[in-house]
Amino acid sequence: MPGTRQYAGPVLLFPGQGGFDGVALTRAADGYPQVRAVFERIDTVTRQIHGRELSATLFRDTPVELTDLLRDEPWVSQLAIYGSGLAAHRVLTEHGVRPFALVGHSLGEITALVAAGGYSVEDGARIVLRRTAAIAGLDGGSGAMVALAAAPSRARHLIALVENDRLAVATENHATQTVLSGPREAIGQVKAIAEQLRIGCAELDAAFAFHNPSLASVAPDFAAAVRDLPRGPLSVPVYSPILQRFYDPDESLGDRLADHFTLPVRFSSAVTLLHEHGARVFVEAGGRATLTSLVPKALGGPDDVTSLSTLSVGRGNTLRLADTLAELRRAGLSAGDGLDSLRQYLAPELTAAEFSTFWTTTGHEITALVSRRLSDFRTAPQNVPAGTAEPAGTDGAAERPDTGARPAAAVVEVLGREEVFASVRGLYARALEYPEEVFTPGVLLEAELGVDSVKQVELLSRASEYFGLEPRGEDFRLADYETLDAVADLIHQELGTRRGAVESEAPDTGARPAAAVVEGLGREEVFATVRGLYARALEYPEEVFTPGVLLEAELGVDSVKQVELLSRASEYFGLEPRGADFRLADYETLDKVADLIHQELNGRRLQGAAA
């Protein structure tokens, strides 16, 4: 066991069921070549065994989501989760991140063992396929899993009430969240009882009832099938929340993976132990940010822990991976910038310093060229998979910004329907201390999550205040908004109505001043919007626009182009032209540009409030 000193590197966490975000994966694939490289290796296995490539399902013009994958063959969602974790791991390590330990949650434990070198990417995919086939042959789609807002001890009382020997605790995530697995009928009974007891619950996006004693009969055949796969030494310690220990160097991994069929995942105990032995930084390598949110809850919210995600979308609709890499560099937990593997591939004759200089001056041109060529390749008729319609508008014209000035009230357009839903989901999750993942668009707030009408009124009031909306009239019916999707629709519609009122210069009715719509735009949203405008105008990938990158010295954006871009951004936010004393040289990074616009938006809001 590692010593009790603080770990020299982060602990990487690999998610299991639910650990897939199609939007985030697509964006990462566009900015990080390691992502597609991992899935290309998985494709060699799926072609051989199932006659199709996983990449063709995942990388489309419109990102797929986990619900789409679950309607496909069972192995598709499982390999998508596995591949996402490996892709995130490869990006992290090729950017100089050296983890102290790896931890997998359920299916993620296979990912962790592959990431540590125990198996090849291809053999790891074969293990996932065999695992899925073994469980599917027994389960047949009759099983389900449900997350309860309850401690394991209370969850076991519910199991006793149902009296079904195939119902079991599958996961202990933290003191107030336990996952059960079992037959769908039994899971339905658990949900009904939980509703009566006002225990929050939500059925998970899981293909089968994993981690259940009823799977014992298929475990031996699985172990025999994978036992003889070639394995390598583990280059990084792998801690198992299922076995509650680190893997031994010489033990049979196949037999231990077979044990996973029936044993529960004690994630909270694993995180607590690692924290006691000095772990302070946890990074989720995979889709969404489920484990990222579980870590502080498992530890009781200590101030000395940092928990980061990778393949998830954060505020401002941006990929969190770039921010996580930057934070790890600032903390001294990343030894490099990811250029060394690229140098060895493109120009091994150059030293690291020489290649760094070359990339600083030329890298943006190469990245932009590769992005355009990949786009052309993917949309070429001969490269479109059979049965897939050719995408319309492949020249990208529809994504280019309008160069005409927009009305000042157009700032509300930054808050699209998806951003409104994400903000509402975050507000509800924090208030109820539920993981965000349980708030799917159609989940019934009271019937499925146990949020009674009194609490719903309070939460809707909080959300309305957050967006600066007025109280609703006596004819408002809460029963019409029983899902988070309906709540987000209501708020988005009311924001649109307010925007229309501002544009028509309606008289003041005692509501907040018209300019108060700007209050919905935080500093992060302003930065994300400006970055998107600049990226589309220059046809660069958004990832190159890090907060501190020098627009001219590092990205080659000359002063004339900078003036034009700043003018476009100002028009987008409805800001007035600046005076003759304005110095462009003071805003040589996108961070400073965002600060300027955010400051001017706040100034306009305060001016409106004082008028």
Side-chain angles (χ1 to χ4, degrees), residues 152-170:
S153 57
R154 193 177 189 191
R156 290 186 176 92
H157 285 306
L158 266 68
I159 293 174
L161 289 173
V162 174
E163 294 185 333
N164 187 310
D165 57 8
R166 294 175 59 200
L167 186 63
V169 170

Side-chain angles (χ1 to χ4, degrees), residues 66-146:
L66 185 58
T67 51
D68 302 318
L69 301 182
L70 289 170
R71 288 191 289 268
D72 206 322
E73 296 181 78
W75 61 267
V76 174
S77 63
Q78 303 302 289
L79 277 184
I81 295 168
Y82 165 77
S84 296
L86 284 183
H89 171 264
R90 184 166 171 184
V91 172
L92 289 168
T93 54
E94 291 195 7
H95 279 73
V97 177
R98 297 293 176 262
F100 179 86
L102 309 180
V103 178
H105 190 289
S106 186
L107 169 65
E109 199 155 315
I110 298 174
T111 318
L113 290 169
V114 172
Y119 294 107
S120 68
V121 173
E122 292 81 1
D123 280 344
R126 293 185 179 96
I127 291 171
V128 173
L129 290 176
R130 288 188 179 277
R131 175 182 188 261
T132 305
I135 296 175
L138 183 65
D139 184 290
S142 63
M145 303 182 77
V146 63

Side-chain angles (χ1 to χ4, degrees), residues 37 93 103-104 188 206 217 288 293 320-321 356 388 431 456 473 499 508 511 537:
T93 54
V103 178
S217 61
R288 297 189 180 177
S293 65
R320 284 180 168 138
L321 178 56
S356 179
T388 302
Q456 286 185 57
R499 181 176 73 242
D508 186 8

Side-chain angles (χ1 to χ4, degrees), residues 156-478:
R156 290 186 176 92
H157 285 306
L158 266 68
I159 293 174
L161 289 173
V162 174
E163 294 185 333
N164 187 310
D165 57 8
R166 294 175 59 200
L167 186 63
V169 170
T171 304
E172 299 173 6
N173 285 330
H174 55 78
T176 57
Q177 188 185 99
T178 307
V179 177
L180 304 186
S181 72
R184 290 193 178 277
E185 180 182 357
I187 292 296
Q189 292 176 314
V190 168
K191 290 167 65 175
I193 295 172
E195 181 182 351
Q196 293 298 316
L197 297 177
R198 298 191 181 280
I199 297 174
C201 66
E203 192 166 333
L204 302 187
D205 289 332
F208 307 110
F210 296 98
H211 303 288
N212 193 292
S214 66
L215 300 176
S217 61
V218 297
D221 288 342
F222 167 82
V226 303
R227 187 177 293 130
D228 294 331
L229 286 174
R231 61 153 295 184
L234 301 180
S235 60
V236 181
V238 177
Y239 187 85
S240 170
I242 298 173
L243 305 176
Q244 288 290 285
R245 61 173 175 80
F246 282 93
Y247 278 91
D248 293 332
D250 301 321
E251 69 180 306
S252 170
L253 298 183
D255 289 313
R256 298 294 75 73
L257 290 174
D259 293 340
H260 294 185
F261 280 47
T262 57
L263 297 176
V265 180
R266 294 188 171 90
F267 182 75
S268 56
S269 297
V271 171
T272 300
L273 181 142
L274 292 170
H275 180 261
E276 289 173 352
H277 286 270
R280 294 297 179 266
V281 178
F282 295 83
V283 180
E284 183 168 357
R288 297 189 180 177
T290 304
L291 304 185
T292 303
S293 65
L294 292 181
V295 167
K297 293 177 182 178
L299 296 174
D303 296 331
D304 62 345
V305 169
T306 299
S307 188
L308 305 168
S309 66
T310 51
L311 300 186
S312 65
V313 176
R315 296 187 64 187
N317 210 25
T318 58
L319 182 68
R320 284 180 168 138
L321 178 56
D323 292 336
T324 291
L325 288 170
E327 187 159 347
L328 291 172
R329 282 196 297 272
R330 286 193 296 270
L333 297 176
S334 173
D337 54 10
L339 291 181
D340 194 55
S341 60
L342 193 61
R343 176 188 67 83
Q344 294 178 21
Y345 182 75
L346 293 177
E349 71 278 5
L350 296 182
T351 66
E354 289 171 337
F355 188 77
S356 179
T357 302
F358 162 77
W359 192 258
T360 298
T361 57
T362 316
H364 65 282
E365 299 175 10
I366 297 172
T367 303
L369 175 62
V370 170
S371 180
R372 289 196 297 271
R373 292 289 175 84
L374 281 174
S375 178
D376 293 342
F377 173 79
R378 292 174 197 144
T379 56
Q382 66 269 25
N383 295 321
V384 176
T388 302
E390 183 175 348
T394 55
D395 60 358
E399 295 183 359
R400 295 194 181 106
D402 180 8
T403 57
R406 300 189 182 190
V411 292
V412 179
E413 293 177 7
V414 177
L415 296 175
R417 169 60 174 71
E418 292 182 10
E419 286 83 354
V420 170
F421 179 87
S423 298
V424 172
R425 179 168 64 175
L427 288 168
Y428 277 45
R430 288 191 295 274
L432 294 169
E433 295 187 351
Y434 287 2
E436 285 193 13
E437 287 68 29
V438 306
F439 292 99
T440 56
V443 69
L444 296 169
L445 294 172
E446 183 164 11
E448 295 185 81
L449 296 186
V451 185
D452 61 42
S453 58
V454 175
K455 191 67 176 179
Q456 286 185 57
V457 170
E458 176 191 343
L459 292 170
L460 183 56
S461 177
R462 287 192 192 183
S464 299
E465 290 174 358
Y466 177 85
F467 289 102
L469 295 170
E470 291 296 300
R472 298 172 184 87
E474 294 180 355
D475 59 344
F476 176 77
R477 284 173 43 85
L478 180 69

